[in-house]
């Protein structure tokens, strides 16, 4: 049975790969199956391609007002 990891953990692991660390190195260091991590990366890339431009995180509105 495949092991389940929390979404926050997966996001942090993907951040390491996106920062340039190899999938093999990250997987080995964290005790994750490298093929599982490779799948996470593919899934994240597919999700990024499916998102329309400008749909990323929005910035908070400027709360400063002129008086």
């Amino acid at each position: 049975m495949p092991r389940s990891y929390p979404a926050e953990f997966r996001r942090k692991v993907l951040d390491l790969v996106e920062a340039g660390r190899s999938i093999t190195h990250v997987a080995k260091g964290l005790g994750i199956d490298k093929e599982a991590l490779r799948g996470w990366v593919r899934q994240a890339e597919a999700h990024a391609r499916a998102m329309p431009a400008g749909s990323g995180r929005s910035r908070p509105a400027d709360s400063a007002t002129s008086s």
Side-chain angles (χ1 to χ4, degrees), residues 1-11 13 30-33 36 40:
M1 177 183 232
R3 185 169 173 190
S4 178
Y5 295 94
E8 181 65 21
F9 175 78
R10 289 173 65 151
R11 180 71 252 157
V13 171
L30 296 174
I32 302 168
D33 180 74
W40 297 355

Side-chain angles (χ1 to χ4, degrees), residues 50-64:
M51 298 295 293
S55 63
R57 294 183 181 156
S58 61
R59 295 184 190 170
D62 185 6
S63 60

Side-chain angles (χ1 to χ4, degrees), residues 43-55:
Q43 189 175 38
E45 289 171 347
H47 180 73
R49 283 191 302 271
M51 298 295 293
S55 63

Side-chain angles (χ1 to χ4, degrees), residues 12-59:
K12 288 180 180 182
V13 171
L14 288 170
D15 287 344
L16 292 172
V17 174
E18 290 171 4
R21 300 187 81 181
S22 75
I23 290 174
T24 302
H25 179 80
V26 172
K28 189 173 185 178
L30 296 174
I32 302 168
D33 180 74
K34 86 174 174 185
E35 291 307 316
L37 178 51
R38 193 177 313 280
W40 297 355
V41 170
R42 274 186 249 142
Q43 189 175 38
E45 289 171 347
H47 180 73
R49 283 191 302 271
M51 298 295 293
S55 63
R57 294 183 181 156
S58 61
R59 295 184 190 170

